[in-house]
Structures are given as C-alpha cells and as structure tokens.
Amino acid sequence: MTPSARGDLFDPACPTRRLLDRIGTKWTSMTVKILAEAAPDEVRFADLRRRIPGVSQKMLSVTLQSLVRDGLVSRRVEATVPPRVHYRLTPLGASLESALAVLRTWAEEHMADVDQANQESER
Amino acid sequence: MTPSARGDLFDPACPTRRLLDRIGTKWTSMTVKILAEAAPDEVRFADLRRRIPGVSQKMLSVTLQSLVRDGLVSRRVEATVPPRVHYRLTPLGASLESALAVLRTWAEEHMADVDQANQESER
DNA sequence: CCGTATCCACGATGATACTG
DNA sequence: CAGTATCATCGTGGATACGG
C-alpha cells in the first residue's frame, strides 16, 4: 500500500469534512462573525484583536491568512508608517456567514438541551 | 488572578464555539449523517463502522459516546451473546442534522471556489 | 460483537521575543 | 501597527491489545 493510500481514499469526496476543518479552528467563526457584522465596512487588525477576547496576535494572524488564502476575506494594506491593514469579507465569505448563522441559531436554541443531557448523564 | 479566570471569561457566552467543538471532531458529522439517512431505523455499531471509511473502533466508540452524552443519539443494547448495540438519532439530533445539512450544501456548492482561491494564492 | 485501556505521533494553540 | 520566528504544551486521533 502506498503511504498515502489510507488517508486519501475517502477524503477528496467529502467537502464537508474540509469545510469543518476550516471553520472548526478556534478563532475562525468569531472572526467571520465580526467581519460580517461590520460589513460592508472593513475592520483593522488591531480592532479585530480587541473584539476577539483571548486571541493572540499570532493566532489572529494565522486565522486571517487562512481566510484570505481561502478567498473568504480580502486584505488591504495602507502604505503608511506604521502600516494599517484592513480586512473585509468577500462575497464568498458572506455566503459562508449565512451558513454559519444557521449553526449559531441552532446553538443558541439547543445547546441548553445538550447541557441538560450531559448533566443527566453524570448521574 | 484565579486559575480559571483567563479561560472562562469569554467562553460561557459562546454556544457556537461549543457546538463547533463537537461537530468539528473528525467523525461526528459523518456519523450523524449516516444515522440521519437511516432514520427512523437504528444502525448497529458494526454497520456504522463499515459505512465510515477509515474510522477506528476506538474513535467510533468515543464519537458515539459523546453523541449519546449530548442527547443527540440514543443507544439500545440487545442482551444477546455477543451483544448487539443499536444507535439512532434523537429528535434533538435530527434537528442538528438540519443545521448540518445547510453546511453540507454550502460545502458542495462553494468548496471548489475555496480550492480555486488557494491555487491562485500559490502563484 | 462491542467497548476499554495504553501508549504514541502529530497538529493546533499559546507565550514570548523580535522585525519592518 | 502588523507580522514573523521559536519553543513549549495540550488535545485529538490512531495502533494495538485486552476484557465482558
């Protein structure tokens, strides 16, 4: 068996898995949400950092880079000193936000049920 | 600062984060999908394992335990030798499936765009 | 057949310090 | 201000073996 055979066999057929790998990372959904709320305005790096409690500079940078690479977010640099960098959802990112909004609604409506189920399991 | 202060400060207010932590695990969405397609019928452990390519016995077990604890899946044991264990989506699990279906649709419609954006970034 | 226990590898995240 | 580099850490997932 080739080294890649086991891992590649079922993955390519599952775009959902790949989507979840992206939005499942710790800071992605919050970042997208903030950018969506600000849209169509841009948001600066420092603003994002302030509005995402607990995110480190590195992880916000990594998260935004991924979103930009994926075409979900656009990046604009003001060539000043010091530089200002602005981020904004692309149309593709905005369409993802719609899907994420459905998840948020479900979470707000039903996570209490999930919590209750967990408490009942403990007994 | 109390030991829990940093981690607890922003988490409780975010049910979405907690939902993503659950459905973001590697095998959860596929398991829910298969159980949803079979509903209202039950599916046996061995059947699930066969229908989820690449899942290990341990991870399927862990995944199902989580789903049961969360009240999303019900578990029924046939007291035979050897035992047979059957799983089925609960109504709560079925409602989650509706939300996941939205994600799947987005993935199927748009992950190609994401892939293309990545290819263009490489250049 | 189904589940658990153990050990281990790897990636994601975080702390910190440094650069343009 | 924004981003990069480095190192340490932790959780997830996988291999394997064993138990009920």
Side-chain angles (χ1 to χ4, degrees):
Chain A
M1 189 184 301
T2 66
S4 63
R6 196 182 59 243
D8 290 358
L9 222 48
F10 50 98
D11 216 4
C14 189
T16 304
R17 170 80 260 127
R18 289 163 52 233
L19 171 61
L20 284 170
D21 284 343
R22 289 155 200 270
I23 67 176
T25 60
K26 194 167 183 178
W27 306 108
T28 301
S29 62
M30 178 123 339
T31 303
V32 170
K33 183 184 182 186
I34 292 178
L35 290 174
E37 288 170 351
D41 291 341
E42 298 174 312
V43 184
R44 291 185 52 192
F45 185 92
D47 286 335
L48 280 168
R49 191 170 176 197
R50 268 189 293 275
R51 296 173 62 179
I52 304 177
V55 72
S56 66
Q57 191 175 36
K58 171 190 161 183
M59 287 317 298
L60 181 56
S61 180
V62 168
T63 300
L64 287 167
Q65 281 172 19
S66 297
L67 289 169
V68 170
R69 263 202 321 276
D70 289 346
L72 299 166
V73 167
S74 63
R75 180 180 186 271
R76 181 174 70 85
V77 181
E78 256 185 275
T80 57
V81 178
R84 297 178 175 192
V85 185
H86 305 259
Y87 294 91
R88 177 165 48 181
L89 277 193
T90 64
L92 185 60
S95 78
L96 174 59
E97 163 61 16
S98 306
L100 282 177
V102 173
L103 270 198
R104 281 195 209 98
T105 301
W106 192 93
E108 287 162 9
E109 289 178 354
H110 298 294
M111 282 308 286
D113 297 337
V114 170
D115 291 337
Q116 187 181 344
N118 272 279
Q119 287 172 20
E120 289 171 1
S121 299
E122 284 174 12
R123 290 190 277 108
Chain B
M1 191 184 299
T2 65
S4 63
R6 195 182 61 244
D8 290 358
L9 222 47
F10 51 98
D11 216 3
C14 189
T16 304
R17 170 80 258 125
R18 289 163 52 233
L19 171 61
L20 284 170
D21 284 342
R22 290 156 199 270
I23 66 176
T25 60
K26 193 167 183 179
W27 306 107
T28 301
S29 62
M30 177 121 342
T31 303
V32 170
K33 182 184 182 186
I34 291 178
L35 290 173
E37 287 170 351
D41 291 340
E42 298 174 312
V43 183
R44 289 185 53 191
F45 185 92
D47 286 335
L48 280 168
R49 192 172 176 195
R50 269 190 292 274
R51 295 173 63 179
I52 304 178
V55 72
S56 66
Q57 190 175 38
K58 170 190 161 184
M59 287 317 297
L60 180 56
S61 180
V62 167
T63 300
L64 287 167
Q65 281 173 19
S66 298
L67 289 169
V68 170
R69 264 202 320 277
D70 289 345
L72 300 165
V73 167
S74 63
R75 180 180 188 269
R76 181 174 71 84
V77 181
E78 255 185 277
T80 56
V81 178
R84 297 178 176 193
V85 187
H86 305 259
Y87 295 91
R88 176 165 48 181
L89 276 194
T90 63
L92 185 60
S95 78
L96 175 59
E97 163 61 15
S98 305
L100 282 177
V102 173
L103 271 199
R104 282 195 209 97
T105 301
W106 192 93
E108 288 161 8
E109 289 179 353
H110 297 294
M111 282 307 286
D113 297 337
V114 171
D115 292 336
Q116 186 181 345
N118 272 279
Q119 287 172 19
E120 289 171 1
S121 299
E122 284 173 12
R123 290 189 280 106

